[in-house]
Amino acid sequence: MTSLPAFLGTNNVPEQGSEGTPRIPAVLRLGPQSNSAEKDSAGPSAPQHKRKPGRPPGSRKPPASPLNVGTTNATAKKRKVAPKTQSCKRKSNTSNSQAARTKDARNRGERSRDSTHSSSNLSTKVTSNGHGQDSSYFLGWEEYEKNPYDEMKNPNGMIQMGLAENQLCFDLIESWLAKNQDAASLKRNGQSIFRELALFQDYHGMPEFKKAMAEFMEEIRGNRVTFDPKKIVLAAGSTSANETLMFCLAEPGDAFLLPTPYYPGFDRDLKWRTGAEIVPIHCSSSNGFQITESALQQAYQQALKLDLKVKGVLVTNPSNPLGTALTRRELNLLVDFITSKNIHLISDEIYSGTMFGFEQFISVMDVLQDKKLGNTEVSKRVHIVYSLSKDLGLPGFRVGAIYSNDEMIVSAATKMSSFGLVSSQTQYLLSALLSDKKFTSQYLEENQKRLRSRQKRLVSGLESSGITSLRSNAGLFCWVDMRHLLDTNTFEAELDLWKKIVYNVKLNISPGSSCHCTEPGWFRVCFANMSEDTLDLALKRLKTFVESTDCGRMISRKSHERLKSLRKKTVSNWVFRVSWSDRVPDER
């Protein structure tokens, strides 16, 4: 059995009680192209290690550490992880290098405290930049908030295309609320239950709500698999759920492997408070960013070289930011990998109800069932994170969940949920909504249609500007290829292009470097958090920008067609994410 944090086996938990890479710039300069308006902040994956002497700028040496794609946890530096079987010399070297890193981290923390709070003693959580707020992903939001677009009040404002919200089916939920006044008014059979809901509820959650959640998750998966409500732990959104799992599965300094590109918020959710580390599984556009066995093995070996203990793999399925669902081949590969390494697998499936392609969503639960691993030790190391934020478009309701077959995990995570409970009022309302099977069936079908239509509208508009994107079948965004608009094949050029789009075009999109993509020029563009008119305006602005740039004028129609032809040859083997021969019979 794989090791778990020490406290899971004790009674100490209170009873009441997330191939080569171009060099990423160390400093990200935001603002219009004038010195007076510039703002200095750390780069998209700050802090950066200093480049080794002799390595030319822009060289493509693979990253030597996961720390160059995320912020460093000082606690990880203090942890001695050298195996006992290593030689004394290896132990000594490891100890010395760790001591140096620990001293380095301590000095950085002390300098930060001295510069801002000379008379205060604050924790490194406060004084460090481990939250990742200085990522271009979050900085784009800050710029949007200064000048938000409004059709009537601010038509020249910035359009938010960096926020993955699903606003396409609010009318369906509003219609249900109008027809179900008891639930909306906190009543039962016409009688108010306000006082009942206003009183303290324990952290186990309402049984009727957990049952409704389990059945909704089953419905999204075509009722091929079942979920036991007793194995569900409620949390205040998937952010809380992922962090709770990190606390349950990893000690400070332990590592999880994540395929790139990945959601920028994971640097905060998984690392900031837990002290865990992220080691990237480098995926490439050459195969549509699919996970391969060699990439998994390379990431695992890289972690060992860094003296990090690998506790598991975390994936988003469907992927954020790619907008693609994992294939059955990838899921089988992941299950086989964590089985062979005796580690955990976290499958974040918060976009499972956003599948708008004609394929069925395949959950890791499907794979466990197909492999007849349902009641095995392997199944105890596979955990699912879910939320109603994306499928129902309710991020403000803060409803997340952990599903695990490990009783110790469920018990400890339930106690931890005291720090982020779902309100009784929310549970009551949504248990009524999710229990209405006629509504959920119609909602999922209509949501799929609207997402498909909106995604096609975005892709078509981008293509009219000579911009292509990864073939997607899920999610609230597209992974857009703007490599041909870069001045040079570097992340500096990517950030320059991003700043032009943010400040000149006034569109907030997320650069690939903020998602730790290893190839410059990719951007995540959201499409479900605005009206069709607003999307059309955004596409019009972008087209005007592309046509007005030197790059746009220089790319002749002939060269553009040649570029498209080259891409078509490159992607022909992966554009559908799975070849016909790779599909199992029930997928055809």
Side-chain angles (χ1 to χ4, degrees), residues 138-345:
F138 293 111
L139 291 173
W141 284 18
E142 291 180 10
E143 295 305 310
Y144 164 77
E145 290 168 358
K146 297 174 185 176
N147 183 29
Y149 168 82
D150 183 90
E151 183 178 3
M152 301 301 295
K153 299 178 181 179
N154 191 18
N156 296 318
M158 187 178 296
I159 297 175
Q160 174 64 287
M161 305 186 83
L163 180 60
E165 282 187 342
N166 184 1
Q167 300 181 18
L168 301 188
C169 291
F170 277 168
D171 60 308
L172 302 182
I173 298 177
E174 289 171 337
S175 176
W176 184 90
L177 290 172
K179 297 174 183 177
N180 293 268
Q181 287 296 311
D182 267 16
S185 304
L186 306 181
K187 293 181 180 180
R188 184 186 296 124
N189 299 323
Q191 299 297 314
S192 173
I193 58 170
F194 168 79
R195 296 188 180 188
E196 175 184 332
L197 296 175
L199 298 177
F200 175 78
Q201 303 283 341
D202 79 13
Y203 45 57
H204 290 88
M206 294 182 176
E208 58 269 29
F209 177 59
K210 293 170 73 172
K211 179 176 182 293
M213 277 280 283
E215 292 175 351
F216 186 59
M217 293 167 68
E218 292 169 358
E219 184 177 7
I220 290 173
R221 291 152 184 80
N223 293 305
R224 299 182 305 274
V225 296
T226 59
F227 291 91
D228 184 350
K230 295 179 181 178
K231 298 179 180 179
I232 289 179
V233 179
L234 299 180
S238 60
T239 293
S240 177
N242 276 309
E243 185 186 55
T244 297
L245 274 177
M246 285 295 110
F247 276 122
C248 288
L249 303 179
E251 301 285 3
D254 288 342
F256 264 75
L257 312 182
L258 271 69
T260 61
Y262 62 78
Y263 166 55
F266 279 150
D267 293 319
R268 169 200 64 198
D269 302 353
L270 308 182
K271 297 172 55 177
W272 185 37
R273 300 199 299 183
T274 67
E277 292 291 354
I278 293 175
V279 177
I281 303 168
H282 290 300
C283 300
S284 165
S285 63
S286 62
N287 73 340
F289 297 98
Q290 289 195 49
I291 301 169
T292 63
E293 183 175 6
S294 61
L296 279 170
Q297 295 292 352
Q298 287 171 12
Y300 189 85
Q301 293 303 318
Q302 179 67 16
L304 296 184
K305 289 179 182 177
L306 294 165
D307 291 319
L308 297 174
K309 183 176 183 180
V310 177
K311 297 304 292 288
V313 179
L314 186 148
V315 296
T316 53
N317 183 30
S319 167
N320 176 10
L322 298 178
T324 55
L326 293 178
T327 64
R328 193 179 294 271
R329 179 197 64 79
E330 289 173 289
L331 288 166
N332 276 313
L333 174 63
L334 287 165
V335 171
D336 291 344
F337 180 77
I338 65 110
T339 300
S340 66
K341 303 297 185 183
N342 196 33
I343 58 179
H344 296 270
L345 173 61

Side-chain angles (χ1 to χ4, degrees), residues 34 56 69 72 93 145 160 167 185 216 291 317 350 362 412 420 434 463 522 536 557 573:
S34 63
V69 293
T72 307
N93 291 341
E145 290 168 358
Q160 174 64 287
Q167 300 181 18
S185 304
F216 186 59
I291 301 169
N317 183 30
I350 67 172
I362 305 172
L434 295 179
E463 288 179 347
W522 292 89
D536 290 342
R557 183 177 182 82
N573 291 329

Side-chain angles (χ1 to χ4, degrees), residues 36 52 195 197 220 235 242 244 329 361 367 389 419 448 457 480 541:
S36 61
K52 291 184 178 180
R195 296 188 180 188
L197 296 175
I220 290 173
N242 276 309
T244 297
R329 179 197 64 79
F361 170 68
V367 172
S389 296
F419 299 101
Q448 181 185 52
R457 196 180 193 95
V480 178
R541 289 183 183 181

Side-chain angles (χ1 to χ4, degrees), residues 24-30 39-48 70-71 128-130 132-139 495 498 513-514:
I24 299 176
V27 177
L28 171 64
R29 255 180 217 286
L30 279 180
K39 178 173 69 175
D40 290 343
S41 63
S45 47
Q48 295 291 316
T71 48
S128 71
N129 61 353
Q133 192 71 30
D134 54 2
S135 163
S136 53
Y137 174 75
F138 293 111
L139 291 173
L495 291 174
W498 174 69
S513 53
S514 70

Side-chain angles (χ1 to χ4, degrees), residues 83 98 101 111 113 121 146 195 217 254 273 303 309 327 379 397 399 404 439 444 535 563:
Q98 288 175 339
R101 292 199 301 268
R111 285 197 295 270
R113 284 193 293 271
N121 292 320
K146 297 174 185 176
R195 296 188 180 188
M217 293 167 68
D254 288 342
R273 300 199 299 183
K309 183 176 183 180
T327 64
S379 71
F397 279 48
V399 180
S404 177
F439 169 79
L444 289 172
L535 178 60
L563 181 63

